[in-house]
Amino acid sequence: MKKECVLVCGGAGYIGSHTCVELIQAGYDVVVVDNFSNSEPSAIDHVRRITGAEIPLIEADCCDREAFRKVFEKYEFNSAIHFAASKAVGESVQKPMLYYRNNLTSLMNLIDLMHEFNRPNLVFSSSCTVYGEPKKQPVTEQTPRQEATSPYGNTKKISEDILRDAMKAYTDMKTIALRYFNPIGAHPSALIGELPRGVPQNLVPYVTQTAAGIRECLSIFGDDYPTPDGSCIRDYIDVVDLAKAHVAAINRMTQGKSEANFEVFNIGTGRGVSVLELANKFQQVNHLKLNYKIAPRREGDIIAIWADPTRANTVLGWKAERTLDETLESAWNWEKHLRGIE
Ligand code: UFG
């Protein structure tokens, strides 16, 4: 029997490459389109190595509608996942138009082409950033969305709105938006992981690069927040677990289980971890000493947010499985593999 195929837009990136592995291991074929603006083609070679699968890889920009159209003309698939977006919060403040243009044009092209070519199922990468600074923890999908604190965050909010309205009109299509909390870690093979360009802006890549001696010292941005240890709290979700949530979303749509044609799920562990806790745990599980200092607060940071993942657990049938220890170990293994550290 011919396998179901999934188009993975931005499949060479951090979350995209892990999702390709999980899709293939769940029995799907994948086709990847990527413009390599923040990824490397070699990631797909590594996915091929992990899975033994053949993966068509098309270099194209999803904002280029004619190039994107060719992918629809050539390949048969019923489902697509949209990872092809820019994601640096700070850069989005400096270059808002780049973020609005990239993130919204690629999504609108994808919706148009899926509608035109009768490809019904779409998974969208949303973010807990849509909740802003929540008044109550943990956040459920009913927690009100708030005004975005960056152009990047706003593209996620606007994308959700575009999808909600498009799905009202295109009743033969379905979308699941996954609101990711903070993805970290790497594949247990250490063959794929996060590849930040330049100085990492996110916590765990900065931690692993500091441990590897590439950065001198980790700055912990603020220890005077109204939290138990004064540092910010996040819900760190393992990237392999996160990848599996996409498989669950695709299964749900292809098996006709969706209860509405636009659905939203929080994808987190339900556990809030502070920056200091994470830094200490990283040292403990990897048996090393991390050079870190307390630094001033970073502008725009949310104090605390963690997920109520009940809806994903019960309705989507997905649950975070890897422990924070395993995830932090995998993050360090990946950094060591990249740097050739024994
Ligand atoms: N942090 C440090 N030092 C660093 C880097 C980060 O202390 O060098 C702290 C931050 O202040 C924050 C926490 O670690 O308290 C996590 O920071 P990240 O930059 O890793 O993640 P954010 O929660 O700021 O942002 C992430 C994603 C965004 C997304 C957002 C949703 O990177 O894409 O979650 O809340 F929008």
Side-chain angles (χ1 to χ4, degrees), residues 87 89 127-129 152 182 201-203 206 218-221 232 234 236 275 298 301:
K87 62 169 186 181
V89 176
S127 165
C128 67
T129 191
Y152 160 78
N182 285 54
Q201 304 300 306
N202 295 118
L203 178 61
Y206 208 103
L218 167 73
S219 290
I220 297 201
F221 299 139
C232 294
R234 296 289 183 274
Y236 295 96
V275 180
R298 179 171 73 178
D301 266 339

Side-chain angles (χ1 to χ4, degrees), residues 206 209-219 290-293:
Y206 208 103
Q209 290 199 7
T210 305
I214 299 159
R215 311 281 155 207
E216 210 170 297
C217 183
L218 167 73
S219 290
L290 189 66
N291 201 11
Y292 72 76
K293 62 171 192 230

Side-chain angles (χ1 to χ4, degrees), residues 216-264:
E216 210 170 297
C217 183
L218 167 73
S219 290
I220 297 201
F221 299 139
D223 71 345
D224 56 354
Y225 284 103
T227 59
D229 67 18
S231 64
C232 294
I233 298 176
R234 296 289 183 274
D235 184 333
Y236 295 96
I237 173 76
D238 184 276
V239 69
V240 175
D241 281 335
L242 175 57
K244 288 180 178 165
H246 297 79
V247 178
I250 296 282
N251 286 343
R252 180 172 173 82
M253 291 189 288
T254 54
Q255 294 165 9
K257 292 184 180 158
S258 301
E259 286 157 9
N261 75 333
F262 177 64
E263 296 184 307
V264 176

Side-chain angles (χ1 to χ4, degrees), residues 203 207 218 220 222 227-236 271-285 290 292 294 306 324-325 328:
L203 178 61
V207 164
L218 167 73
I220 297 201
T227 59
D229 67 18
S231 64
C232 294
I233 298 176
R234 296 289 183 274
D235 184 333
Y236 295 96
R271 172 189 64 207
V273 173
S274 77
V275 180
L276 277 165
E277 277 170 342
L278 186 134
N280 288 326
K281 208 160 198 43
F282 182 84
Q283 302 187 94
Q284 196 191 338
V285 300
L290 189 66
Y292 72 76
I294 306 297
W306 65 93
L324 184 59
D325 287 24
L328 293 176

